[in-house]
C-alpha cells in the first residue's frame, strides 16, 4: 500500500484499492490503541477468524478510534458452527507488552490467558502466550500447550503477511 500500487505491481490499481480498507482499519487501530501490529491483531476481533480456529470473535462494546479497547471489556467467541464457545473479559492491557484475559463463562471459567510481547533483538516481536487453569486437568496439558503454540505461530504469520501485503 505504501508504494501506491497493489500486489501485482505499478499497474495494479484494483489491487491497491482492494487493500485500502484493511490498511485504513489497521492504521485506525494503531492510533486508537497505540499498538504494534501483533497487539493490534489481538485487539482486532474481526481478524481472529483469519488467523485462529475461532469462527467469530466480537467485542460486546465495539472498540475503535473513538473508544479504544480497555480493561473490563468483554468479547464473545463462537465456534465454526456458530455456537457460543465462551465469553472473555480483558483483565490487563499494557500497550505493546501484554494482553491478558479471563474466561467469564463457558466450559473453563477458571481459565486466564496472557499474551506477552517483547521486541526481538533482530526486529519483529517475540510472542509468549500462556494460560493458567484453577482446576488442573493433566490429561489436557499437552493439547492446551499445543493449541497455544499453534496460535502464536498463526498470529505471527498473519502479522507478517499484513506487513508484506501492505508495504
Amino acid at each position: 500500500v505504501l508504494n501506491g500500487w497493489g500486489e501485482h505491481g505499478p499497474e495494479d490499481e484494483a489491487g491497491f484499492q482492494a487493500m485500502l480498507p484493511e490498511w485504513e482499519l489497521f492504521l485506525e487501530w494503531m492510533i486508537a490503541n497505540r499498538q504494534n501490529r501483533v497487539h493490534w491483531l489481538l485487539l482486532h476481533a474481526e481478524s481472529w477468524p483469519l488467523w485462529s480456529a475461532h469462527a467469530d470473535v466480537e467485542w460486546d462494546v465495539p472498540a475503535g478510534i473513538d473508544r479504544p479497547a480497555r480493561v473490563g471489556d468483554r468479547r464473545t467467541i463462537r465456534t465454526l458452527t456458530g455456537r457460543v464457545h465462551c465469553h472473555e473479559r480483558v483483565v490487563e492491557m499494557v500497550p505493546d507488552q501484554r494482553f491478558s484475559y479471563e474466561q467469564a463463562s463457558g466450559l473453563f471459567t477458571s481459565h486466564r490467558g496472557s499474551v506477552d510481547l517483547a521486541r526481538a533483538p533482530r526486529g519483529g516481536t517475540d510472542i509468549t502466550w500462556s494460560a493458567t487453569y484453577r482446576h488442573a486437568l493433566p490429561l489436557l496439558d499437552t493439547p492446551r500447550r499445543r493449541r497455544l503454540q499453534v496460535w502464536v505461530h498463526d498470529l505471527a504469520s498473519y502479522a507478517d503477511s499484513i506487513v508484506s501485503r501492505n508495504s
Side-chain angles (χ1 to χ4, degrees):
V1 168
L2 297 178
N3 56 18
W5 58 73
E7 293 180 33
H8 303 291
E11 305 303 318
D12 186 11
E13 175 67 23
F16 174 74
Q17 293 299 325
M19 290 189 299
L20 282 179
E22 181 182 26
W23 183 246
E24 288 172 1
L25 185 60
F26 172 72
L27 293 175
E28 178 180 312
W29 268 85
M30 295 291 284
I31 292 167
N33 294 293
R34 299 182 302 275
Q35 308 301 319
N36 69 25
R37 67 181 178 265
V38 175
H39 212 181
W40 172 73
L41 289 172
L42 290 169
L43 296 177
H44 183 236
E46 292 83 1
S47 77
W48 278 61
L50 302 173
W51 60 267
S52 77
H54 296 305
D56 185 44
V57 177
E58 179 181 307
W59 289 104
D60 290 356
V61 176
I65 192 76
D66 296 327
R67 186 197 174 280
R70 55 183 73 142
V71 170
D73 284 357
R74 292 173 50 108
R75 57 192 189 168
T76 301
I77 299 174
R78 289 183 177 76
T79 63
L80 293 172
T81 62
R83 191 173 57 79
V84 171
H85 175 67
C86 68
H87 296 280
E88 294 178 344
R89 179 177 34 258
V90 177
V91 295
E92 184 179 14
M93 288 178 57
V94 180
D96 290 336
Q97 294 177 29
R98 175 172 290 149
F99 173 76
S100 298
Y101 58 92
E102 64 185 12
Q103 198 156 334
S105 69
L107 185 59
F108 297 105
T109 54
S110 64
H111 169 200
R112 179 185 167 113
S114 185
V115 184
D116 292 299
L117 308 173
R119 294 207 184 282
R122 295 186 177 162
T125 303
D126 287 331
I127 305 168
T128 304
W129 198 320
S130 59
T132 56
Y133 297 84
R134 196 171 331 133
H135 306 291
L137 298 170
L139 190 60
L140 295 178
D141 285 349
T142 299
R144 286 175 175 164
R145 258 193 310 279
R146 178 69 186 129
R147 184 190 67 217
L148 294 179
Q149 290 170 343
V150 168
W151 281 352
V152 165
H153 175 268
D154 293 349
L155 173 61
S157 296
Y158 191 71
D160 285 342
S161 77
I162 287 176
V163 170
S164 296
R165 284 194 319 265
N166 294 306
S167 59

